[in-house]
Amino acid sequence: MNAPAISRRSFIAASLIGAGVVAFDARLALGAPGDEAAGTVNAYVRILPDNRFVIGAKNPEIGQGVKTMLPMLIAEELDIDWDQVVVEQTPVNSATYGRQVAGGSRTTPTSWLLMRQAGAAARSMLVQAAAAKWAVDAGTLTTASGMVSHAGSGRSASYASLAADAAKLAAPALEEVPLKDEADFGIIGTSRMGVDTPAIVTGKPLYGIDTDLPNMAYAAIEICPVFKGTVVGFDEAAVKAVPGVISVVPVNSGLVEKGSFDALAIVADSWWTAKQARTKLNAKWDDAQFRKFSTDSYVEAAQAALAAPADGAIFKAGDAAAALKGAVKTVTADYDYPFLAHATLEPQNCTAQFDADGLTLWAPSQAPEGGRAQIAELMDLAPEAITIHLTRIGGGFGRRLMSDYMLQAAQIARAIPGRPVKLLYTREDDTAHDYYRPAGWHRFSAGLDEEGSIASFADHFVTFGEDGKPVRAAGLSEDEFPAPLVPNVDLSVSYLETNMPTGWLRAPGSNALGFVFQSFLDEVAEAAGVDLPTLMLRTLGEDRVFFPEKGAGAFNTGRARAVIEQVVKDAGWSHARPTPGSGKGRGFGFYFSHLGYFAEVLDAAVSQDGTITVEKVWVAGDIGSQVINPMNAMQQVQGSVIDGLAQAMIGQKIDQVDGAVVQRNFDGFPLMRIDGAPREIAVNFVKSQYSPTGLGEPALPPVIPALANAVYAASGKRIRSLGFA
Amino acid sequence: MTIKLKVNREERSIDVDPDKPLLWALREDMKLPGTKFGCGAGLCGACTVLLDGQPVRSCQTPIGSVGNAAITTIEDVSSQPAGPAVLAAWQELDVPQCGYCQAGQIMTATWMLGEFPDVSPDDIDGMMSGNICRCSTYMRIREAIGQAAKTVRTGEKA
């Protein structure tokens, strides 16, 4: 049949693992042949004696739906029915399972082919087993609903009854296993309820915060309010005098040097007790050198930086300054946006147990292997001595790509060996100790030629950096639209210093850059006497691909054009620019991020007192040839749209005074509520020939400029600064 | 001190500080983790439970103040008049994304439809506005409530 599996980069192995259960373990090579560094990923399917199928889902589930989506891909090609599937979360071990990260909307593009190959290979072995048993040609056999059938003789057999024979067969080469024609899909492209939904709606323990172990202790934590400050002292006797308190443990959260501590964990027999005892802590910190950082200091420094030459260049083409001088019309404007918190509804938490066998964690983490590596380094543990159980996650949004809560829980557990301990932040801790979306400032200028095309485009971006490089999530890349399509460009950058920890917030970079670039381009369009879709299509020009070396990440102007034209059609967009100020207005925004192309139109009403009401949003998105789970996909898009509106119009911002964050709870950092959500969000997926890509993020960025541009159309007032309520 | 409670149609007796919020007594002392901690300040609604059928924020309710009131949590929401219809709609429309707020959303929706099965879209937005969904599943929540309301009004079995 086929060459021995061992010689294959990708292979599948089937084995009887007892009680009639047969396991198919697929080892799938990532990347191009020869690129061994790309690694492998294992997918597994276990066939149970009753012809049900346990399928492993390897990635963290944060509400983006991957725990349902990944098994759908395998089940499709295995040719079983969805109600025969039992999904289980795989262990955390990226050496075995490949990338186990919920980030970058990357699970779909990295799994689309591999998971289908795994399912198809298992199916092929079951078919071979049936062919051998019945002495017929495998090509005469068909499969459906977990059964192999031979039409000629009327014979059929369940996969379970064939599994033991299949386990003895040599495995096929995964690359050669035929995949279904997309027209024959019965699971992919159909709506499937989330596999955890029944447990969610009946209150079953699923999340990190629900972890409950025998003899478990609980920890509250006080982290130095000023980032990077360290512990000097605290009133241990007063805390320990509280009945139920077990100990106070100094902790390193990962912001300060190894060997020093920036937090104190109060461990007690209940979390409520630990939280109450915390009020007796009276902690003293060494934080004087970091108290100089404040929102006011950044605003002042940013204005100074904008007035001075930039620190460095990001992208230059032609001569932007000269072209601006020679332009028929010029537009200049300053834009800015604040720091933002993630505000996952499940506060940061982690449970850990340390004993002779090593460290075990129950972690709601988007990047558990990152946590393992950081703990191993900080605590001088072998990575193999750390076991991580992944829980369901009550909201990610990028917050849980960071591992501070895992580091903290691990150190607390080591202080009380043998006893599991659950660390839980208060909401106030969670808001004041995040890894924030960085604030930023932009000074734009653009010049138009006689045809109304952009001849010159410049942005002086003031962001946060160290050693001439942006801090986490604070960068701007050379392919930011419209830079690659304009003859004279100057994207430059200046860096401010901060002690604020920064991190990735859903559609990182893009959530802010989409706002400033597409809003400024609406100003440019107005100067050109056209609407933004017209300027966009004019600037995109003929269909072509920029930065092809980025592969699927290369910017495809044809795909951009298609979604813009679609949303213009769906919304009945008029290309005439109405005179602003009627109280009602429509705005447009486009953005390409996370491999997805999204164009959005928004209708807003602005009342006399400035109150903004979003009436309806239209979305056209291209995420490739298939929308794997349409019911979930719709939710991802609608949720992203509302999330973007929350960032823009309800007063979300994080301020800093004396080195510490000001906001504490949902009164200071509001989240969108149902009465602020638009009544209608119409979503249209534009199918293209490309491999499917992810949907956790790319629908978010365009809605913010669509809102800002709609508010301008309605009121005549440009929104150039976010953080207002 | 020992406190006697009626929780999900069962008599319970727990030894607990009467100032401890009902939320933490449920989660830690009664091992009912379905009720969620979100803000600890009565701002997000994740901890919503029913006391004698009325929604309260369990993070703001000292256990000692509950008295004889019957406590209903998400684990037993199907015992409420609109509970089965709400649970059915929530699953059929797959309302949850991360799912963390949904216990609170379901408790409020179940109370609302039990009392006001004829809710208008404005009523829904008004009465559900105390429950934050960070994933913004609001479109689906409205749809599910509309569907459940229909079931409750027609008296069909969910």
Side-chain angles (χ1 to χ4, degrees):
Chain A
M1 192 177 83
N2 285 299
I6 199 78
S7 70
R8 302 285 180 182
R9 288 180 69 237
S10 293
F11 65 90
I12 187 161
S15 53
L16 193 62
I17 58 171
V21 179
V22 171
F24 286 83
D25 286 297
R27 186 176 162 84
L28 306 154
L30 304 176
D35 180 15
E36 297 303 331
T40 57
V41 54
N42 273 26
Y44 68 77
V45 176
R46 275 188 240 122
I47 302 184
L48 305 179
D50 62 359
N51 217 33
R52 285 182 305 142
F53 303 83
V54 178
I55 301 182
K58 70 184 183 69
N59 282 10
E61 174 61 61
I62 56 175
Q64 82 283 46
V66 293
K67 192 174 174 183
T68 307
M69 183 277 287
L70 288 175
M72 283 174 74
L73 301 180
I74 294 177
E76 177 69 69
E77 296 288 350
L78 187 55
D79 224 7
I80 58 180
D81 291 342
W82 187 240
D83 61 11
Q84 296 174 295
V85 174
V86 179
V87 175
E88 76 179 20
Q89 189 81 48
T90 73
V92 175
N93 183 348
S94 292
T96 299
Y97 297 103
R99 183 179 187 268
Q100 290 180 286
V101 176
S105 295
R106 280 179 59 192
T107 300
T108 298
T110 55
S111 306
W112 168 249
L113 195 58
L114 295 176
M115 295 295 139
R116 289 168 60 216
Q117 286 175 335
R123 174 189 169 277
S124 146
M125 292 171 77
L126 291 157
V127 168
Q128 292 293 341
K133 191 172 176 180
W134 298 333
V136 297
D137 187 85
T140 64
L141 300 177
T142 57
T143 56
S145 304
M147 305 285 290
V148 183
S149 300
H150 183 244
S153 62
R155 276 176 295 197
S156 69
S158 71
Y159 284 1
S161 71
L162 296 164
D165 289 343
K168 295 176 196 137
L169 296 174
L174 287 177
E175 296 85 349
E176 290 160 22
V177 174
L179 296 173
K180 279 189 183 176
D181 190 280
E182 294 196 15
D184 296 331
F185 285 161
I187 293 175
I188 292 171
T190 65
S191 289
R192 303 291 165 172
M193 180 179 69
V195 294
D196 283 339
T197 295
I200 290 169
V201 302
T202 48
K204 300 288 188 301
L206 291 168
Y207 302 90
I209 197 174
D210 301 335
T211 306
D212 189 28
L213 298 162
N215 196 33
M216 188 169 75
Y218 299 80
I221 194 163
E222 181 146 321
I223 307 166
C224 182
V226 179
F227 302 105
K228 299 186 180 179
T230 49
V231 177
V232 173
F234 57 98
D235 194 344
E236 186 166 19
V239 177
K240 283 195 157 175
V242 176
V245 169
I246 298 162
S247 64
V248 182
V249 183
V251 166
N252 180 318
S253 309
L255 290 179
V256 295
E257 277 178 32
K258 191 171 171 176
S260 58
F261 305 102
D262 65 341
L264 294 159
I266 300 92
V267 187
D269 59 7
S270 98
W271 187 74
W272 177 248
T273 303
K275 181 175 177 279
Q276 298 293 97
R278 180 181 164 188
T279 59
K280 316 278 185 200
L281 192 61
N282 196 23
K284 298 279 183 285
W285 312 101
D286 174 7
D287 59 10
Q289 60 173 311
F290 303 107
R291 297 179 75 97
K292 65 180 176 184
F293 295 110
S294 70
T295 302
D296 289 347
S297 76
Y298 302 139
V299 169
E300 197 179 319
Q303 292 310 316
L306 287 173
D311 292 350
I314 292 170
F315 180 69
K316 278 190 199 295
D319 187 337
L324 191 68
K325 275 190 193 124
V328 174
K329 273 187 187 160
T330 63
V331 188
T332 59
D334 287 1
Y335 280 79
D336 66 79
Y337 41 84
F339 285 99
L340 290 178
H342 294 80
T344 62
L345 203 59
E346 180 189 13
Q348 303 316 305
N349 69 88
C350 184
T351 303
Q353 181 168 355
F354 191 88
D355 53 33
D357 301 332
L359 175 70
T360 306
L361 297 135
W362 291 261
S365 169
Q366 291 180 247
E369 287 291 4
R372 188 202 308 267
Q374 244 189 304
I375 291 167
E377 202 283 317
L378 186 80
M379 296 175 66
D380 297 313
L381 293 171
E384 314 79 76
I386 303 169
T387 304
I388 304 172
H389 301 286
L390 201 54
T391 67
R392 190 176 175 89
I393 298 172
F397 309 103
R399 173 63 180 89
R400 289 169 161 107
L401 290 167
M402 308 310 296
S403 307
D404 44 336
Y405 46 91
M406 292 174 74
L407 275 179
Q408 292 159 346
Q411 293 164 79
I412 300 164
R414 186 150 74 176
I416 53 163
R419 190 165 180 189
V421 57
K422 176 159 69 184
L423 166 70
L424 172 64
Y425 284 26
T426 62
R427 172 56 51 192
E428 289 79 7
D429 298 329
D430 196 273
T431 307
H433 296 283
D434 199 338
Y435 286 75
Y436 303 91
R437 190 287 295 275
W441 295 261
H442 295 258
R443 176 159 290 173
F444 288 108
S445 61
L448 293 164
D449 64 18
E450 280 164 1
E451 278 82 45
S453 293
I454 305 171
S456 170
F457 190 91
D459 175 24
H460 182 179
F461 177 33
V462 177
T463 183
F464 295 94
E466 282 168 6
D467 307 323
K469 284 189 191 133
V471 295
R472 195 181 293 113
L476 170 67
S477 70
E478 77 281 357
D479 60 349
E480 188 66 38
F481 185 90
L485 298 99
V486 173
N488 302 288
V489 183
D490 181 1
L491 302 184
S492 60
V493 63
S494 297
Y495 296 112
L496 308 183
E497 194 192 353
T498 184
N499 69 331
M500 286 278 272
T502 62
W504 298 282
L505 173 68
R506 191 180 203 175
S510 310
N511 55 42
L513 299 174
F515 159 60
V516 299
F517 277 80
Q518 288 285 300
S519 299
F520 179 65
L521 284 175
D522 192 52
E523 299 195 48
V524 175
E526 187 180 33
V530 295
D531 61 319
L532 182 52
T534 299
L535 179 73
M536 288 295 296
L537 295 172
R538 183 182 292 171
T539 308
L540 287 165
E542 66 198 50
D543 292 358
R544 59 215 196 279
V545 174
F546 284 93
F547 301 95
E549 68 277 11
K550 295 191 178 189
F555 182 67
N556 183 317
T557 59
R559 296 180 75 179
R561 169 188 298 280
V563 295
I564 292 170
E565 287 175 344
Q566 188 64 53
V567 84
V568 159
K569 183 163 169 251
D570 291 348
W573 176 275
S574 161
H575 289 290
R577 266 198 104 95
T579 307
S582 70
K584 295 233 177 200
R586 340 187 87 177
F588 170 90
F590 164 84
Y591 210 75
F592 167 60
S593 76
H594 301 85
L595 313 180
Y597 296 78
F598 280 80
E600 302 179 11
V601 168
L602 182 146
D603 277 0
V606 180
S607 67
Q608 292 292 330
D609 67 357
T611 304
I612 301 165
T613 306
V614 176
E615 296 179 335
K616 182 167 178 179
V617 181
W618 290 262
V619 179
D622 173 5
I623 52 164
S625 62
Q626 289 286 334
V627 175
I628 298 167
N629 186 355
M631 182 160 69
N632 175 266
M634 181 70 85
Q635 280 262 57
Q636 295 303 314
V637 172
Q638 292 180 331
S640 296
V641 163
I642 301 172
D643 199 0
L645 295 175
Q647 288 184 14
M649 60 182 278
I650 61 170
Q652 285 194 354
K653 60 175 174 159
I654 289 292
D655 295 315
Q656 204 183 3
V657 169
D658 292 341
V661 161
V662 175
Q663 287 79 7
R664 285 288 183 275
N665 209 315
F666 297 137
D667 44 359
F669 190 84
L671 296 182
M672 185 66 91
R673 294 173 185 272
I674 194 169
D675 54 354
R679 282 283 163 86
E680 221 179 325
I681 302 173
V683 181
N684 193 351
F685 289 105
V686 178
K687 301 274 176 75
S688 64
Q689 60 180 311
Y690 301 92
S691 194
T693 55
L695 201 45
E697 299 168 278
L700 189 152
V703 77
I704 303 176
L707 172 76
N709 296 337
V711 167
Y712 174 71
S715 68
K717 291 196 180 91
R718 286 280 175 198
I719 294 172
R720 297 195 184 94
S721 179
L722 292 185
F724 66 89
Chain B
M1 63 183 274
T2 301
I3 289 182
K4 289 197 161 109
L5 298 159
K6 265 188 289 185
V7 183
N8 294 340
R9 299 177 287 165
E10 281 176 29
E11 304 285 339
R12 299 283 292 259
S13 177
I14 55 169
D15 185 26
V16 66
D17 176 350
D19 290 337
K20 187 169 183 171
L22 173 59
L23 167 66
W24 295 107
L26 288 168
R27 292 186 58 85
E28 293 184 349
D29 302 293
M30 292 184 261
K31 304 292 181 194
L32 290 168
T35 304
K36 294 295 190 262
F37 167 56
C39 69
L43 296 169
C44 76
C47 69
T48 305
V49 300
L50 304 183
L51 283 193
D52 284 339
Q54 299 297 307
V56 300
R57 302 289 184 246
S58 64
C59 76
Q60 300 296 298
T61 307
I63 186 79
S65 73
V66 174
N68 290 322
I71 303 165
T72 306
T73 70
I74 186 69
E75 285 90 347
D76 194 39
V77 70
S78 57
S79 69
Q80 297 297 300
V86 170
L87 290 184
W90 241 253
Q91 291 176 83
E92 201 173 310
L93 296 171
D94 201 21
V95 173
Q97 284 191 35
C98 90
Y100 192 76
C101 73
Q102 297 295 342
Q105 306 281 359
I106 289 169
M107 297 314 290
T108 306
T110 298
W111 157 76
M112 178 176 70
L113 293 182
E115 304 247 332
F116 313 103
D118 293 317
V119 283
S120 70
D122 286 343
D123 294 337
I124 294 171
D125 275 14
M127 286 189 260
M128 296 299 295
S129 66
N131 288 82
I132 290 173
C133 175
R134 173 66 180 87
C135 305
S136 290
T137 58
Y138 298 127
M139 313 303 283
R140 213 50 77 81
I141 287 173
R142 288 174 181 148
E143 202 181 335
I145 289 172
Q147 185 169 316
K150 213 167 156 188
T151 309
V152 171
R153 283 196 303 266
T154 57
E156 282 168 25
K157 229 176 146 167

